[in-house]
Amino acid sequence: MKKTLVVFAHPYLEHSTSNVELINFYVRHQHYTLRDLYEEYPDFHIAAFRERKRLQQYDRFIFQFPIIWFGIPPLLKLWIDEVFDRNWVKEGENNPLKDKEVYIVVTTGGKERSFTKEGTYKYTIDEIISTLIVSLNVFGANIKDITIVYEANKLSKKEIILHKKKFVEILNQ
């Protein structure tokens, strides 16, 4: 089993049953390390050196977060800005993301049809989270899957469990 770091960022976790279900899965399995950025950095002062060192210890990564006002959560964006190091793209530098598997899990309260070119917002989720996608691509990470949970705040317990099961199956492929 691959040693996996879960970089989780949700500023309103107490209102998200969908995210809690997956967090409980990570916590119960020894190969997953959950890092809740809002728990760890409530003051938004990120220990970038420590985070870079931490990344080197893992075989794969999961970035999990909700869409917040049509973007990634502000603390996750700050974490990317401060932790991802341009030196990683230089020849001979240790790039902890190079060729590593990455999975992205996004939750949103919006409907799937709203996140289309013809929909209410005129942008897709991939476009909205492009900051993360482009950053991972620049560093040579292997984005294996982007899982999007639409209308996450309206899902029944059974529907949430089905989403979790599907995502776990993706991880085990």
Side-chain angles (χ1 to χ4, degrees):
M1 187 66 123
K2 295 178 182 171
K3 191 173 176 190
T4 304
L5 177 64
V6 180
V7 179
F8 177 75
H10 197 313
Y12 312 110
L13 181 57
E14 65 275 10
H15 301 293
S16 178
T17 53
S18 297
N19 281 284
V20 169
E21 186 68 32
L22 266 178
I23 287 172
N24 288 336
F25 167 79
Y26 304 137
V27 171
R28 287 191 307 264
H29 292 81
Q30 67 181 357
H31 299 291
Y32 294 87
T33 302
L34 175 68
R35 283 288 171 250
D36 181 341
L37 297 183
Y38 280 89
E39 247 333 278
E40 201 161 331
Y41 299 113
D43 58 0
F44 280 61
H45 292 286
I46 295 172
F49 178 78
R50 182 180 72 202
E51 293 293 328
R52 287 185 199 116
K53 200 171 176 179
R54 179 182 289 149
L55 291 175
Q56 296 173 12
Q57 301 169 19
Y58 292 90
D59 304 313
R60 75 177 171 183
F61 304 95
I62 297 170
F63 289 87
Q64 183 177 333
F65 55 91
I67 296 297
I68 302 288
W69 278 108
F70 309 105
I72 64 177
L75 185 54
L76 178 57
K77 174 63 171 107
L78 180 65
W79 186 89
I80 292 166
D81 290 347
E82 293 191 10
V83 174
F84 286 12
D85 188 342
R86 287 291 294 165
N87 286 326
W88 293 346
V89 295
K90 293 180 181 173
E91 188 73 33
E93 286 293 320
N94 182 17
N95 177 353
L97 298 174
K98 180 87 172 132
D99 299 323
K100 299 282 179 76
E101 290 181 6
V102 174
Y103 297 83
I104 300 172
V105 181
V106 180
T107 58
T108 179
K111 295 178 167 106
E112 184 171 2
R113 69 178 177 266
S114 296
F115 292 97
T116 64
K117 294 294 183 189
E118 302 76 31
T120 306
Y121 307 126
K122 310 291 185 217
Y123 290 90
T124 65
I125 294 292
D126 282 8
E127 290 171 318
I128 290 170
I129 66 169
S130 63
T131 301
L132 176 59
I133 293 170
V134 171
S135 297
L136 292 167
N137 285 332
V138 164
F139 293 113
N142 179 8
I143 300 174
K144 299 290 279 185
D145 184 74
I146 300 174
T147 297
I148 305 165
V149 180
Y150 295 98
E151 297 184 87
N153 56 336
K154 295 178 182 169
L155 297 177
S156 69
K157 179 77 168 172
K158 183 178 179 180
E159 291 169 317
I160 293 168
I161 290 169
L162 289 173
H163 277 286
K164 178 183 79 172
K165 184 178 178 185
K166 181 180 172 192
F167 181 64
V168 170
E169 287 172 4
I170 290 168
L171 289 175
N172 291 329
Q173 291 177 354

